Amino acid sequence: MKILLVEDDPIQLEPLKTALTKSGHGVDAVQDGEIAQRLISDRHYDLLILDWMLPNISGIQLCQRYRQLGKSAPVLFLTAKDTVTDKITGLDVGADDYLVKPVNVMELLARVRALGRRSPLWQGDVLTLGDLELHLTTLTIKRQEQAVQLSGREFQLMEYLMRHPRQVLSRSQIEQALWEWDMEPESKAVTILIHRVRQRLQTIGAEDWLQTVYGMGYCLTSPDPTNTHHV
């Protein structure tokens, strides 16, 4: 999943970012509420993890504004504010889960997995599209008893494509989903990554599932020989 992690304490931010990244997630990590607000306005996220007390704009305000934008990704509060009233306030402004610091990283990762199961494609620890399976814990893709291991970046791309099946995703959308907000990927990075993933799909007889839509982007779908817009 693509996750926005907002935590003003760098001592807590970096270990959390590392743990989420090692679990296969793409993470935009920021310490300032104002920067976070720009990101939630401009980019797509599958999950937001928000501290409550942040510089410039609080986590509560961020959550409220995120919901006002009509965005529906789950929001998890990760905060030292631990009263029942605090928890009710956080959930009432639109959060889906609430975790009190100090945080156990394993519990946080379990909460993240639980929120990720809301995808309609999720079956066990697997995302499925037709007979194509993406195994989230082993970073493998499988079809008809054939499986292939993916690298971290290849897995992130396949997860992004499978969470948005049959949608044409632009190069810009893919860059935003896979690279951090303050990083500029090389000009051919997406092209090279798409090529690598196609090679992985070829080994399981599914290379036709990842289609190029000229001038628009890429789409993961069942092959349709009658669709003349795709190659």
Side-chain angles (χ1 to χ4, degrees):
M1 291 190 293
K2 183 67 176 183
I3 298 174
L4 176 63
L5 171 63
V6 191
E7 165 61 63
D8 66 332
D9 183 354
I11 296 176
Q12 298 186 54
L13 182 71
E14 288 305 320
L16 292 174
K17 179 183 176 183
T18 299
L20 291 165
T21 301
K22 286 184 176 179
S23 296
H25 302 294
V27 183
D28 282 343
V30 299
Q31 298 176 244
D32 182 274
E34 191 169 334
I35 295 174
Q37 180 170 276
R38 291 205 305 269
L39 291 177
I40 64 175
S41 298
D42 298 339
R43 302 169 73 94
H44 170 83
Y45 292 101
D46 299 306
L47 172 67
L48 275 61
I49 301 177
L50 305 178
D51 191 6
W52 184 312
M53 294 173 286
L54 297 167
N56 298 315
I57 298 174
S58 73
I60 288 291
Q61 291 172 308
L62 279 175
C63 186
Q64 287 176 313
R65 295 174 187 181
Y66 184 70
R67 295 304 185 212
Q68 288 168 356
L69 290 171
K71 299 193 176 187
S72 58
V75 175
L76 166 63
F77 266 108
L78 185 61
T79 173
K81 296 181 74 68
D82 61 355
T83 70
V84 171
T85 300
D86 293 333
K87 296 175 184 177
I88 292 172
T89 299
L91 295 170
D92 281 350
V93 298
D96 300 85
D97 199 357
Y98 196 104
L99 194 54
V100 176
K101 297 177 184 176
V103 62
N104 180 294
V105 173
M106 298 306 294
E107 180 180 359
L108 173 65
L109 294 177
R111 301 282 185 113
V112 168
R113 289 195 297 273
L115 293 169
R117 291 172 194 144
R118 296 185 176 189
S119 168
L121 302 173
W122 189 86
Q123 296 181 6
D125 286 324
V126 181
L127 291 175
T128 61
L129 179 64
D131 62 355
L132 197 63
E133 300 177 351
L134 180 65
H135 293 251
L136 304 181
T137 56
T138 60
L139 311 191
T140 57
I141 193 161
K142 183 177 179 182
R143 180 171 180 252
Q144 298 177 351
E145 304 305 319
Q146 292 182 300
V148 62
Q149 182 78 44
L150 302 175
S151 70
R153 189 69 86 187
E154 292 164 0
F155 170 79
Q156 289 176 355
L157 175 59
M158 276 306 305
E159 183 182 19
Y160 182 57
L161 292 167
M162 291 197 70
R163 288 186 183 276
H164 302 84
R166 296 175 288 277
Q167 297 180 32
V168 179
L169 302 170
S170 69
R171 187 177 299 270
S172 174
Q173 286 176 303
I174 293 172
E175 288 178 350
Q176 286 189 11
L178 272 64
W179 277 267
E180 296 179 26
W181 68 280
D182 55 351
M183 291 180 63
E184 187 74 26
E186 295 181 3
S187 60
K188 294 184 178 180
V190 171
T191 301
I192 294 170
L193 184 58
I194 288 286
H195 177 70
R196 283 166 39 195
V197 168
R198 277 208 174 101
Q199 288 181 317
R200 301 288 185 265
L201 290 170
Q202 187 175 24
T203 64
I204 57 173
E207 65 272 24
D208 293 341
W209 290 59
L210 179 51
Q211 301 174 345
T212 300
V213 183
Y214 284 126
M216 298 180 68
Y218 304 94
C219 180
L220 185 69
T221 186
S222 300
D224 180 1
T226 66
N227 190 339
T228 57
H229 295 291
H230 296 166
V231 296

